[in-house]
Amino acid sequence: MIDWIAPARRKLLSRLTPGDPSLTALPIDDPLNDSAIAVRRIIGALARTAPDDAALPAAAAELERIAEALESRTRPVRAQLSQMWQGEGIARHDPATGPENPIAPPLTMRDAGNGWAEGVVTLGLPYQGPPALVHGGVSALLLDGALAVANELSGSGGMTAQLEISYRRPTPLYVPLTVRARRLRRDGRKVYTMGEIVADGQVTVSAQGLFIVTDRPRAGGAE
């Protein structure tokens, strides 16, 4: 089950250190972060490897050995969730911005001024939808994350209630993408936010979101 954090215990993740413009978790020099980077490299390499490559059988066996070794040492889900909910732990595992989540690019966002949260990310083959283009679901993931970061920046963090995505033109792979968002207004617990992805100076995807200000959930009884 998921319990709810009382407001007094809630830790906002807007800034990691006073005066630091970074709004998302940053990589740190430790084995978990380094392992996530290595797995990200493996995912990228596999996406570019031919299915009949002679090196694959040995690579698969080695990866299986590593997976079994790690799985034998994993913590119970409840313990892991409880740990993640301390400080910026949950942000470090975020699927869009978390440096310790191998499926995250990851997108690092900063305070760009005037209420804007902004980051630049380049996506490769693991994030492909149509040939040479970013999958639409990946664009939605990045924008949902960016809108949430913008809300935290404005002091109005909450949960996504509605997310409207407009795909204006194809979003290319292997091109630096600017992902930016800002809060538009707040009406009680309702927060209205917008964001966009820009490639080569053109908006490729835009989003409008409705968020509900609430306390963060925390791990309670998951196993």
Side-chain angles (χ1 to χ4, degrees), residues 8-166:
R9 298 180 59 192
R10 182 178 175 197
K11 295 185 178 180
L12 294 179
L13 307 176
S14 296
R15 294 187 181 276
L16 305 185
T17 57
D20 188 340
S22 300
L23 301 175
T24 50
L26 298 175
I28 57 177
D29 184 15
D30 75 358
L32 180 57
N33 194 98
D34 293 344
S35 296
I37 292 173
V39 172
R40 211 172 284 126
R41 290 177 59 194
I42 291 170
I43 292 172
L46 284 174
R48 302 191 305 273
T49 301
D52 58 351
D53 192 292
L56 280 177
E62 180 66 10
L63 290 172
E64 182 69 20
R65 183 190 67 79
I66 294 172
E68 289 180 354
L70 288 174
E71 288 171 350
S72 70
R73 302 178 62 85
T74 56
R75 292 186 287 187
V77 173
R78 179 177 180 178
Q80 181 68 5
L81 288 175
S82 296
Q83 177 66 29
M84 287 169 60
W85 243 274
Q86 303 300 314
E88 61 157 333
I90 188 171
R92 301 198 66 79
H93 289 79
D94 184 270
T97 65
E100 291 169 7
N101 189 331
I103 72 169
L107 171 65
T108 299
M109 302 198 72
R110 62 182 181 86
D111 182 351
N114 297 318
W116 285 95
E118 182 176 289
V120 177
V121 66
T122 300
L123 302 176
L125 282 179
Y127 305 99
Q128 179 176 243
L133 301 176
V134 177
H135 192 289
V138 174
S139 297
L141 170 67
L142 293 178
L143 282 168
D144 186 36
L147 268 61
V149 171
N151 289 339
E152 293 283 7
L153 174 62
S154 70
S156 304
M159 309 288 281
T160 308
Q162 296 177 2
L163 185 65
E164 180 179 337
I165 304 291
S166 297

Side-chain angles (χ1 to χ4, degrees), residues 151-213:
N151 289 339
E152 293 283 7
L153 174 62
S154 70
S156 304
M159 309 288 281
T160 308
Q162 296 177 2
L163 185 65
E164 180 179 337
I165 304 291
S166 297
Y167 297 96
R168 301 179 179 275
R169 52 180 53 85
T171 302
L173 296 175
Y174 298 107
V175 170
L177 305 174
T178 298
V179 184
R180 59 194 183 198
R182 67 181 177 90
R183 190 188 77 173
L184 297 174
R185 68 184 189 279
R186 177 172 176 173
D187 181 10
R189 293 176 57 210
K190 295 181 179 180
V191 179
Y192 299 86
T193 315
M194 63 83 65
E196 57 192 19
I197 297 175
V198 179
D200 294 326
Q202 293 186 310
V203 176
T204 61
V205 189
S206 61
Q208 297 274 344
L210 167 63
F211 295 77
I212 306 300
V213 176

